[in-house]
Amino acid sequence: MTDPTQTDSPDADGLPAADPHLVHDLAIAHPEVTTLAAAGLLRMTDAEGRGLVALGLPLPKGKRDLLVPADRRAAILLEIQGRIDRAHRRDALLAQGRRALAGRGTALLAADHSVPDHRTRVRAVREESLHWPGLPAPVRLQVSRSLDALELDDLDDATLAERLERDPALSRRMEDALSRVAAALRAYAEEIGDPPDEWGFSAFADRLIRAARNRLDADDLLDRWEREHDQWRRDRAEGRGHAYVRRHFDLSRFEGLFPMARGLARKLVLVIGPTNSGKTHHALSALRAARDGVYLAPLRLLALEVMERLTADRTPTTLLTGEEEIRTPGARHTASTIELMDPNRPVAVAVIDEIQMLADPERGWAWTAALIGVPADTVYILGAPEVRPLVERAAAHLGETLEVVELERKAPLSPLPQRLDWPDVEPGDALIAFSRREVHSVRDTLLARGLTVAAVYGALAPAVRRREAARFLSGEADVVVATDAIGMGLNLPCRRVLFTALEKFDGASVRPLTATEIKQIAGRAGRFGQHEEGFYGVIGRGTPQALRQLLEKPDSRLRADAPLPVRPSRAMLARLAEHVGTAETRLVIDCFVAGNRSGGGAGGGGNGGGASPFRLSDLSGLRRVALLVDARRLTLDQRLDLLLAPADLEDAADARVFAAILDAIEQGEVLPLGRLLPDRLDGLEADALEACSRACDLYFWAARKFPDALPDRDRVRAARDALGQRLSEKLASRARRREPPPAAGFRGAPRKRFGPKRR
């Protein structure tokens, strides 16, 4: 049965038949034509009630639901027929254009579907090629403009060809495209030039031609070229940076980067021995007798203790750390954290403490720099006996004299034969945990047993740690729970050292303790003159057998052929950035990594001969900071200063403070210290107080470099003291707390796992 609403033959009004798809496309574009769905109808028979009727033209199957107002149908049909006629003329014009413009630089094509009324319009297209010196092939460019088919109607072939070939609009567009592309090529050629290396314009030209393939529009081409240029500059900077690093900063010859130290006939004195053997006393005696000197510590608190000891012994000493500075009048000696070693200030005596920290994956580079580069006539190197082969190898590589002083422990140290349980803890014991969370968990367990407890861990400010240590030393606290910082020279004499765990998280994974770490920590037991004998053992979990096995296992990180970790200095990063012409610190860091991938195996200098002992340390932490500072509108100097910020960006509180500092420096605004601290400290928990203390440390560090943006440096000490006092009170009050004993079967602090779950 035939559909009465639409017809496939010439309509009743005598309109000639046309392609149904063409009719549909032209009709649906008419503003008065609608569909059943658009009209809110289900059937064509319902249209009459709305004053609508079927269009009445041949339409494709499935698309025959077009409706028009009944009183406007005749006029709409005439308008659509006019469009159909223009479409037919357009098709004829396209055929004529193919014939008339064959072999010419101009063509006539159908209009893009995105153009309104594209069925009745054509597109005049012109293509030309731009030849440029140095390009291996010409650049093809194409311009176009849209025309109504009626504009070119009734022209013979010759007239049509002449009209399009001389079209002013097309000519202007082509001239503009050629001009802009030529200007870009001229700018690229002038910037790149013809250098003596492989990064000349001819090499870049190959990339330009590859990028121009199938890109005929000038805007599209220039956009692609700009992205290619950015990548080219990055590749060029990396390539030149790699070569520059290998030529000038070859870290396999790391010793050559410290000319002041190499100019001195340094004498190295390695003082080795177990904990409580008098190593520090031996070295500080030489430091006091020297006209000037420097003590390099692993911890700010240890540097502070040495500064106070030397100053009390009539050797005025200045404290210098990243987070604190105490200038002593008349001081010719300095006690500082090891990262602040000054390679350009010669002294008579330097003391490097805890040299076994060379094996630390995050900070070992600082001990390498001090060992190789501290400019002193005599360098005292203090550490565990296990580090001797590594230091001997370094001395041989440098060709410097090495004297070895071996000291014996002053009080005997013995292992406990059995694992202890919590009721076995006695006053005077030190319990060792390996995270802040475990320190608090162990402390709460001991509090429930009726003991008073002091706590010492890295997140505490030095003043708070000293107060907690004083509570233990005075007997106010029965026991102390500490992290492994107790093994780095902190003065906490105790009778027994008890390990609550035999593994630790080292920043990358959970691993067993090394023999060196166990000896350093266990050696704190039995201080000479206070406890005649020291003991060490395990409590809660672990076994004496496991502890003994760890002690018997050699520390591979301190073997004679272990690499010495090194890291580029700020000055090196600045020189490299200037050479490659970039302010992107991430790129500079990547250049160092790529330029020294084989540095650890390269031939070294020095009289020792053989392979270089140096290897580039892990720079992933620096790279994370680089990504943050590179995202800001900062100068290269500002970025390099911020790159070395002592911030733990994985800690949310530290990350917020660092972001606030970046905001102030980037925007040229002032950041008062008060904006980073709460108005009142009352009611803050210990973790919040610790976060505020770290904010003070980071503010002080940044204020030294950016005093205009961070003007409250002088207020930091008072704020830090107030926070420390409040935190000390908090810890002391908690230490007097009594809680129910833990549930039966509890055998230690909850174990924290890192990485994927074990299955």
Side-chain angles (χ1 to χ4, degrees), residues 153-165:
D153 194 28
D154 296 331
L155 299 179
D156 59 38
D157 289 0
T159 305
L160 176 65
E162 182 179 5
R163 167 80 179 273
L164 293 178
E165 287 280 279

Side-chain angles (χ1 to χ4, degrees), residues 683-703:
L684 292 183
E685 294 300 323
D687 55 350
L689 292 168
E690 292 165 11
C692 290
S693 182
R694 293 196 305 273
C696 288
D697 291 344
L698 188 53
Y699 187 96
F700 182 90
W701 176 89

Side-chain angles (χ1 to χ4, degrees), residues 681-733:
L681 304 181
D682 298 342
L684 292 183
E685 294 300 323
D687 55 350
L689 292 168
E690 292 165 11
C692 290
S693 182
R694 293 196 305 273
C696 288
D697 291 344
L698 188 53
Y699 187 96
F700 182 90
W701 176 89
R704 294 174 61 186
K705 302 176 182 298
F706 305 99
D708 293 338
L710 294 88
D712 292 343
R713 178 184 170 192
D714 293 338
R715 293 186 52 208
V716 169
R717 176 174 292 183
R720 188 188 283 144
D721 289 345
L723 287 164
Q725 183 62 41
R726 180 61 184 157
L727 184 54
S728 295
E729 294 170 359
K730 192 84 174 176
L731 291 173
S733 65

Side-chain angles (χ1 to χ4, degrees), residues 6 15 22 51 107-108 115 148 183-184 200 225 277 309 351 358 457 485 487 585 597 689-690 709:
Q6 307 289 349
L15 297 177
L22 171 64
L108 201 60
V115 176
D148 191 297
W225 275 4
S277 59
R309 286 174 60 181
V351 177
L358 283 167
Y457 50 93
T585 57
R597 281 200 177 103
L689 292 168
E690 292 165 11

Side-chain angles (χ1 to χ4, degrees), residues 298-329:
L299 299 174
R300 177 171 39 147
L301 182 55
L302 194 52
L304 177 61
E305 287 185 359
V306 169
M307 183 272 284
E308 292 177 341
R309 286 174 60 181
L310 292 176
T311 302
D313 290 341
R314 300 179 182 178
T315 305
T317 303
T318 286
L319 175 71
L320 185 62
T321 73
E323 300 86 358
E324 192 172 12
E325 182 178 331
I326 301 177
R327 296 284 178 180
T328 303

Side-chain angles (χ1 to χ4, degrees), residues 431-436 439 456-459 481-487 521:
L431 287 85
I432 309 303
F434 294 97
S435 70
R436 176 190 180 278
V439 165
V456 175
Y457 50 93
V481 182
T483 58
D484 50 347
I486 193 175
I521 297 169

